[in-house]
Amino acid sequence: MKILVLNSGSSSLKFQLFEMPEGQVLVKGLAERIGEQTAHFKANDYEVSRPLPTHKEALQLLTDYLLNPDNQIIKDKNEIIAVGHRVVHGGNTFVQPTLITPEVKAKIKELFSLAPLHNPANLTGIETAEQIFPKAEQVAIFDTAFHQTIPIENNKYAIPDTFYQEGIRKYGFHGISHQYVSRAANKRLGRTDTKLITLHLGNGASATAVRNGKSYDTTMGFGPMNGLIMGTRSGDIDQSIIFYLLDKMGYTSAEIQTILNKKSGMMALAGSNDLRDIETAARQGDEKARLALKMYAGAIQKYIGNFTAQMNGLDAIVFTAGIGENSDVVRRMVSQNLDYLGIRADLEKNKDPKTYQGDITAENSPVKIWVIPTNEEKEIAQQTYTLIH
Ligand code: ADP
């Protein structure tokens, strides 16, 4: 059974076609710069640059590629039984994979205000797929859904209750990734009554406390700026800074948004949001880069302490996403000086986790430390398959 997974951004469309339940990837690719003068389309080893005015032309191009007899992928569009869509914000409404209906689409639209950069693009992807694959089941998988198990004491802010009633609360993000790697970690542990901390460290970054397979707390909140230091986002700051910028320094609300979202984090500290550049600069003695790495790892350690205390213990830490999977420097800095919590990495294994099946735990460490590559698309395919099967 073939399931297509779509992740639609405002000017991009990432896709993977899976053979389920095996999980085999038949096609993987993306369309970028949709709506610009020239877009770029890549599917497996086929690449083309040409205008793609909307997502519809991008998805049509993918369909042509799939149907092309030379590629031997599908003979008929209807072989694609379902399309699984990543949808960023599910609010309080969506806690499960959800079959898309007109009501579901209306609700996703209502949530535009909570995720103005993402949900509109996600809905465009859904509506386009409905047109191009009218016979396929359309399924939404929400990035917030995994965090809906966070107990009220961890999702409520200490501000007047009316705001909570209005939906101002911690939602958390990267849920699909945290769910995928936490399930993989529980499989390794051979049980589900576990206490985990999953660290999704990509351009955006978040840490999640996962207790008994369920999200218990997470570092992102109402929006995706809170918590850890990220590529271009500040992570935790004192909210009085915002009022100072607004009232005393004359910045507009839009400018402050841009500063905290696009000009902060590692970009502000070290002049780049690419961790590889920062590591190189730090090796060459650049003080700003060194400080940036120290602060980056320190922010993660603060939450490891916080979450371990909340769960009253810890079985494993999981590193994932671009930085978590690839940066031995960050993993080393995060894992050091945590012996008190029973966290000790083997620094040799840390340099080459693949050789050790991602297990970089030191022999005398009670807490496991694992590097587990995330695979949000596979998780979406699996959840879609389970729903329609
Ligand atoms: P996104 O959130 O955009 O999906 P990724 O998960 O791809 O991001 O992570 C991007 C980050 O991973 C960038 O900061 C990049 O520098 C970092 N990264 C990728 N490969 C390496 C590597 N080999 N060493 C260190 N950092 C890396």
Side-chain angles (χ1 to χ4, degrees), residues 42-99:
K42 185 174 187 317
N44 290 348
D45 47 15
Y46 169 74
E47 285 190 58
V48 62
S49 288
R50 71 176 219 209
L52 296 169
T54 69
H55 286 70
K56 192 168 179 192
E57 286 78 17
L59 201 55
Q60 189 57 54
L61 189 54
L62 170 63
T63 312
D64 295 344
Y65 174 83
L66 299 177
L67 287 168
N68 185 333
D70 293 345
N71 299 325
Q72 296 190 356
I73 299 165
I74 52 171
K75 291 198 178 74
D76 187 313
K77 269 201 312 196
N78 297 332
E79 285 175 47
I80 294 172
I81 302 297
V83 184
H85 299 266
R86 174 170 184 252
V87 180
V88 165
H89 217 305
N92 289 327
T93 312
F94 298 110
V95 294
Q96 296 286 347
T98 303
L99 214 52

Side-chain angles (χ1 to χ4, degrees), residues 272-282 289:
S272 167
N273 64 336
D274 191 321
L275 203 89
R276 284 164 291 203
D277 297 344
I278 299 169
E279 284 181 3
T280 308

Side-chain angles (χ1 to χ4, degrees), residues 8 32 36 55 112 120 142 145 216 241 250 254 308 339 352 354-355:
S8 316
E32 291 173 291
E36 291 181 27
H55 286 70
F112 278 7
F142 297 89
Y216 185 72
I241 294 168
T308 306
D339 318 43
D352 184 20
K354 282 200 187 101
T355 309

Side-chain angles (χ1 to χ4, degrees), residues 221-248:
F222 177 65
M225 279 195 263
N226 206 62
L228 306 181
I229 295 173
M230 310 181 207
T232 61
R233 295 183 211 144
S234 64
D236 293 336
I237 60 163
D238 178 344
Q239 39 284 60
S240 49
I241 294 168
I242 296 172
F243 302 109
Y244 193 86
L245 293 178
L246 200 59
D247 300 333
K248 299 271 186 268

